[in-house]
Amino acid sequence: MKAIVLFGSPGSGKGTQAKLLTDCLGIPHVSTGEMLREGVRNGRGVTPKTAAKMHAGILVKDEVVDAMVKERLSRPDAAKGFVLDGYPRTLVQAEHLTAWMKERSIREVVIYLAVDYNIIIARLTGRRECPRCGTPYNVLLRPPKVDELCDLDGEKLTRREDDREDVIRARLDAYEQQTRPVLEFLRTNGGRVIEVAASDDPPEIVFQKIGQAMEN
Ligand code: ADP
């Protein structure tokens, strides 16, 4: 059983590392942010109130994500393990998760991606994506050859709805006030916490560091 919790600020690279880990280990990627966005897209399971909170960069209710995660983790494909990305994000969620794990005698490994504040800001404000092929860019750190256009198909790059400056500020505030304390909680109540410096290296190197730390 490989139960992995990816922990870190918005923009720390949790989504990217989660994809690399799940490809490598053959276990599902459980991202509460993705599940919520999917719910908004298909108009199922996400109330207008919840969608408005996401839009503003505020955390949605614990009950909403707790129920979503519980349902997802009980599906058969998660029996061998899972990578949690963006959950738990409050102390209530952390208590919920650790109780769920204890009932099943599962010990999670927490990977904390530590990234400098200034890098976080540049990553979030510069983040773009090609709406056609999904290639990620960063206009500040990894710009396309032609301003705001995809190198591969010339499509105009788009921004995630909540990557606007005021919303980024709200998301970072929520992280500092509600989520950061969760790390201490997991250190004392949960499994092992591995801290990986993830400010300067490209994703593949961060991934290698995670692999090495997990083997030790
Ligand atoms: P981020 O890049 O800010 O980490 P996510 O994609 O993980 O973004 O989440 C997007 C939004 O979905 C959050 O701003 C929040 O509104 C909501 N959300 C995601 N996960 C949670 C959670 N565990 N608890 C509460 N709200 C969440």
Side-chain angles (χ1 to χ4, degrees), residues 27 38 41 55 59 87 100 110 138-139 142 163 196 204:
I27 51 178
E38 177 65 25
R41 272 196 296 272
H55 208 81
L59 295 187
Y87 182 94
W100 190 92
V110 180
N138 188 299
V139 294
R142 206 163 7 92
D163 277 347
V196 176
E204 304 73 43

Side-chain angles (χ1 to χ4, degrees), residues 141-208:
L141 307 170
R142 206 163 7 92
K145 292 196 189 88
V146 183
D147 207 22
E148 299 284 346
L149 298 183
C150 178
D151 290 347
L152 305 179
D153 52 29
E155 193 79 15
K156 175 132 177 56
L157 303 180
T158 52
R159 225 176 186 195
R160 219 172 85 176
E161 283 262 0
D162 58 356
D163 277 347
R164 294 193 336 259
E165 240 120 303
D166 51 332
V167 184
I168 289 174
R169 210 167 311 124
R171 285 160 62 205
L172 293 175
D173 278 355
Y175 176 75
E176 285 306 324
Q177 284 161 29
Q178 293 167 278
T179 308
R180 197 183 274 286
V182 170
L183 189 60
E184 271 322 301
F185 177 91
L186 293 173
R187 275 210 175 100
T188 35
N189 297 281
R192 194 154 65 107
V193 176
I194 295 171
E195 181 165 333
V196 176
S199 286
D200 305 319
D201 298 320
E204 304 73 43
I205 304 294
V206 173
F207 182 59
Q208 275 177 19

Side-chain angles (χ1 to χ4, degrees), residues 26-200:
I27 51 178
H29 176 192
V30 179
S31 157
T32 44
E34 279 301 327
M35 286 193 277
L36 287 164
R37 277 190 291 278
E38 177 65 25
V40 171
R41 272 196 296 272
N42 65 26
R44 270 198 303 250
V46 175
T47 64
K49 217 170 165 183
T50 297
K53 284 195 173 148
M54 292 168 66
H55 208 81
I58 304 168
L59 295 187
V60 312
K61 273 196 181 163
D62 291 325
E63 300 94 273
V64 173
V65 275
D66 285 346
M68 224 167 56
V69 169
K70 195 171 159 192
E71 190 280 323
R72 181 64 190 89
L73 297 189
S74 8
R75 287 197 217 156
D77 68 336
K80 276 193 301 191
F82 44 81
V83 178
L84 276 171
D85 162 11
Y87 182 94
R89 238 159 151 128
T90 66
L91 289 172
V92 172
Q93 292 174 21
E95 277 163 12
H96 188 264
L97 179 70
T98 46
W100 190 92
M101 299 275 200
K102 272 209 186 91
E103 274 169 29
R104 288 159 186 78
S105 308
I106 302 169
R107 287 216 104 193
E108 78 277 15
V109 176
V110 180
I111 298 165
Y112 168 45
L113 299 175
V115 179
D116 294 343
Y117 191 77
N118 288 340
I119 307 253
I120 293 281
I121 299 285
R123 282 191 190 166
L124 292 172
T125 51
R127 181 155 73 177
R128 301 288 187 279
E129 189 183 68
C130 173
R132 192 184 299 175
C133 68
T135 305
Y137 293 89
N138 188 299
V139 294
L140 303 171
L141 307 170
R142 206 163 7 92
K145 292 196 189 88
V146 183
D147 207 22
E148 299 284 346
L149 298 183
C150 178
D151 290 347
L152 305 179
D153 52 29
E155 193 79 15
K156 175 132 177 56
L157 303 180
T158 52
R159 225 176 186 195
R160 219 172 85 176
E161 283 262 0
D162 58 356
D163 277 347
R164 294 193 336 259
E165 240 120 303
D166 51 332
V167 184
I168 289 174
R169 210 167 311 124
R171 285 160 62 205
L172 293 175
D173 278 355
Y175 176 75
E176 285 306 324
Q177 284 161 29
Q178 293 167 278
T179 308
R180 197 183 274 286
V182 170
L183 189 60
E184 271 322 301
F185 177 91
L186 293 173
R187 275 210 175 100
T188 35
N189 297 281
R192 194 154 65 107
V193 176
I194 295 171
E195 181 165 333
V196 176
S199 286
D200 305 319

